[in-house]
Amino acid sequence: MDKSNSTSQSIENYLKSYWIASTPGTNYPTLNEDIKVDVAIIGGGIVGITAGYLLKKAGTKIAIIEASHIVQGTTGFTTAKITSQHHLVYDKIIASMGMNIAKQYADANEGSIGFIEDTANKLNIDCDFQRLPAYMYTKEQKYIKEIEKEAEAALKLGIKVKCIDKLPINLDIKSALIFENQAQFHPRKYLLPLAKTIPGDGSHIFENTEAVEIEKGNLITIITDKGKKILASKVIIASHFPCYDGMGLYLARLKPQRSYVIATSIKEKFPKGMFINVEDPGRSLRAQNDGENQLVLVGGEGHKTAHGDSFKIHYDNLEKFAQSVFSVKDTLYKWSAQDYITLDNVPYVGKLTSQEENIYVATGFGEWGMTNGTAAARLLADKILGKDNPWEEVFNPSRPFSSVAYKRLFTENFDVVKELIISKIKSGDDEINIKCSEGRIVELDGNKYGAYKDDEGTLHLVDITCTHVGCELKWNDAEKSWDCPCHGSRFTYDGEILEGPATHKLNHYKEGKIGRASCRERG
């Protein structure tokens, strides 16, 4: 059900993730017959692969199904920092949820760093794992007090941090925090070898296999897009946005957000560390060794999905920032990712609802999926294996709302209603006169369509209403996609699903070439 950042032509033509470009593709089979396993896992990202590895190792028969290819969703488009430093989070969790809950969150994420390191060492996985300090800084006076409060909170929770007033990088700052002994890695170099340990002895990985329906009974039945069935005693939904809600109302409790990354080569030597700022717009920095060359990953520019006028500008802003800090030689890769943020910034991991015993969910990692995703996989594996887990309470999807969460619930869902109403009133252009590689909303015979002309001069029209709950889609000029401003569904210019929660593609109408020559031939 989740086709996040699939290998669709729309993504391949305009974005390239370094993590995907630098590793071989996968070719696991498509499910073509009914099967029965102990545990079925929907989603082949860091949660699904890690949970599958742990369950298989414990003797459980599992099946992972992925709508496209494993580790090509958000896990393949991350900045791949492995840190317990998650922006200004600890002071807020203590204030809203208490010291004991905050301690669980800190321990879960600190423990994830060690788990990834230990697993890579045990399996002899060369994934560019490197222990480094993580710096969080501000250039604004008003955030100094917040940084000091975060340092105090983190120290109470047992995390080694300290306040500093200077960074080992060309940035003028007012204040900063340093989290010691954090890490970074190459996510696909880590997860692809982990995935290879899963198939066999009654366990499977299936690609190009999409879950379209879940039926509950003595055994849970997952029905795929090919009509095949997986029967399982328990199910983990790790499809980024939950592909099955079960009255958990996740669409009202998750906010979709996009952020951007460019990978540059620079003349200077990048210092040993990872860096992120406190204020908006977000700025993240880390280095990655690409064989003999050093890449610098510059990330940030986060915004709610489909909110804004032009999205190319976010890559431009990151390039300008990189040029202000380094002597940039070239920009080699550009990509973006979609994250889902919970009402209180703590992921939902556990039983799908308080009444559900056999369906589990892991979602809402924000921009911190490498540690939170690993912690989620460990927690769910423990629950399925009947083991106690010390982090269950903090991640419980049915936990009580804090006052901050209630306020965000109202704000986010008011925004959804606003988008539903306003988009129905706005009119599109009344004629189709667009350039190659351009997309626009047009109105034909009183109906609105999304129009896009490809490089061959072929015009593509799609219904502009999202197939999820009916919000009107917006054109994403950076990624050549139609994006939903309500819940984050995304579609290619010809209507295929890139990102859930939508489960049905758009109606697509293809016109002939405009004129004789293609756009490429015209120059």
Side-chain angles (χ1 to χ4, degrees), residues 469-508:
V469 296
C471 293
E472 299 296 287
L473 304 173
K474 294 185 178 180
W475 178 244
N476 181 333
D477 59 351
E479 298 162 270
K480 311 303 178 189
S481 60
W482 293 104
D483 298 355
C484 179
C486 292
H487 302 109
S489 296
R490 300 178 58 242
F491 304 84
T492 63
Y493 62 76
D494 52 3
E496 298 294 328
I497 298 172
L498 283 171
E499 188 100 30
T503 58
H504 294 86
K505 65 183 181 180
L506 306 173
N507 288 330
H508 174 230

Side-chain angles (χ1 to χ4, degrees), residues 10 27 82 85 105 108 120-121 150 201 210 332 343 386 487 514:
S10 177
N27 189 30
I82 316 172
Q85 180 271 299
Y105 188 86
N121 288 336
E150 184 72 359
D201 299 322
E210 182 179 3
L332 302 173
L343 298 174
H487 302 109
I514 310 301

Side-chain angles (χ1 to χ4, degrees), residues 442-460:
V442 299
E443 189 167 332
L444 301 172
D445 299 326
N447 296 313
K448 286 195 288 186
Y449 298 91
Y452 173 77
K453 190 189 293 185
D454 65 26
D455 287 341
E456 301 300 326
T458 301
L459 184 67
H460 299 264

Side-chain angles (χ1 to χ4, degrees), residues 227-277:
K228 304 305 177 184
K229 297 180 179 180
I230 303 172
L231 277 69
S233 299
K234 298 182 185 297
V235 171
I236 294 175
I237 299 173
S239 55
H240 200 34
F241 189 100
C243 62
Y244 174 76
D245 189 86
M247 298 302 293
L249 298 178
Y250 287 93
L251 80 167
R253 298 198 283 147
L254 292 166
K255 179 181 79 171
Q257 177 164 307
R258 295 202 70 75
S259 55
Y260 302 80
V261 183
I262 62 171
T264 64
S265 59
I266 65 173
K267 294 179 181 178
E268 302 92 337
K269 185 175 181 180
F270 193 85
K272 290 186 176 182
M274 301 167 284
F275 304 84
I276 193 168
N277 67 335

Side-chain angles (χ1 to χ4, degrees), residues 153-213:
L155 285 169
K156 288 179 181 177
L157 299 172
I159 301 174
K160 293 181 179 180
V161 302
K162 64 181 178 181
C163 290
I164 55 176
D165 55 14
K166 189 175 182 180
L167 295 177
I169 196 169
N170 181 30
L171 287 168
D172 292 326
I173 64 166
K174 297 292 185 181
S175 182
L177 272 182
I178 177 172
F179 280 59
E180 301 284 1
N181 213 27
Q182 306 295 293
Q184 64 183 35
F185 72 155
H186 190 305
R188 281 176 59 87
K189 285 184 178 179
Y190 170 70
L191 288 168
L192 295 183
L194 211 61
K196 288 181 178 179
T197 69
I198 294 171
D201 299 322
S203 291
H204 317 268
I205 294 177
F206 297 106
E207 294 183 325
N208 297 306
T209 301
E210 182 179 3
V212 296
E213 191 174 347

Side-chain angles (χ1 to χ4, degrees), residues 24-87:
T26 54
N27 189 30
Y28 289 97
T30 299
L31 179 64
N32 56 18
E33 62 181 358
D34 295 348
I35 63 168
K36 181 179 177 182
V37 292
D38 299 320
V39 181
I41 301 173
I42 302 172
I46 191 165
V47 178
I49 299 298
T50 306
Y53 162 75
L54 291 170
L55 291 168
K56 168 68 182 294
K57 190 170 69 166
T60 305
K61 292 180 172 60
I62 67 108
I64 296 174
I65 62 170
E66 169 57 48
S68 54
H69 292 271
I70 63 169
V71 203
Q72 284 197 1
T74 298
T75 303
F77 288 79
T78 175
T79 55
K81 294 179 178 179
I82 316 172
T83 73
S84 61
Q85 180 271 299
H86 295 174
H87 210 257

Side-chain angles (χ1 to χ4, degrees), residues 207-412:
E207 294 183 325
N208 297 306
T209 301
E210 182 179 3
V212 296
E213 191 174 347
I214 292 178
E215 297 177 349
K216 294 197 292 185
N218 292 331
L219 291 176
I220 300 165
T221 302
I222 299 173
I223 303 173
T224 74
D225 55 333
K226 305 290 192 304
K228 304 305 177 184
K229 297 180 179 180
I230 303 172
L231 277 69
S233 299
K234 298 182 185 297
V235 171
I236 294 175
I237 299 173
S239 55
H240 200 34
F241 189 100
C243 62
Y244 174 76
D245 189 86
M247 298 302 293
L249 298 178
Y250 287 93
L251 80 167
R253 298 198 283 147
L254 292 166
K255 179 181 79 171
Q257 177 164 307
R258 295 202 70 75
S259 55
Y260 302 80
V261 183
I262 62 171
T264 64
S265 59
I266 65 173
K267 294 179 181 178
E268 302 92 337
K269 185 175 181 180
F270 193 85
K272 290 186 176 182
M274 301 167 284
F275 304 84
I276 193 168
N277 67 335
V278 173
E279 57 268 33
D280 290 326
R283 295 289 181 261
S284 168
L285 293 164
R286 62 153 290 192
Q288 172 66 30
N289 188 8
D290 178 23
E292 295 181 357
N293 300 315
Q294 175 189 243
L295 297 178
V296 174
L297 276 53
V298 185
E301 290 285 305
H303 63 86
K304 190 172 181 181
T305 300
H307 284 239
D309 296 320
S310 173
F311 302 99
K312 290 180 179 178
I313 192 172
H314 298 295
Y315 291 116
D316 295 340
N317 289 341
L318 292 178
E319 289 186 341
K320 289 175 183 176
F321 172 73
Q323 291 163 0
S324 73
V325 180
F326 310 109
S327 300
V328 176
K329 294 190 289 185
D330 197 7
T331 298
L332 302 173
Y333 300 91
K334 296 181 182 181
W335 68 88
S336 68
Q338 184 146 301
D339 297 294
Y340 284 92
I341 301 171
T342 69
L343 298 174
D344 54 15
N345 293 317
V346 175
Y348 304 131
V349 184
K351 294 191 295 186
L352 184 70
T353 68
S354 58
Q355 291 77 36
E356 182 57 63
E357 292 298 329
N358 297 317
I359 301 179
Y360 302 89
V361 69
T363 188
F365 302 127
E367 297 175 338
W368 311 104
M370 298 301 97
T371 48
N372 269 326
T374 299
R378 297 173 70 192
L379 190 162
L380 294 180
D382 282 347
K383 287 183 71 66
I384 287 171
L385 296 171
K387 299 178 181 179
D388 291 332
N389 185 284
W391 319 315
E392 185 172 344
E393 189 177 1
V394 63
F395 293 119
N396 181 7
S398 301
R399 60 184 176 267
F401 285 171
S402 66
S403 58
V404 173
Y406 271 115
K407 183 177 179 181
R408 287 189 179 178
L409 179 68
F410 173 80
T411 301
E412 291 304 322

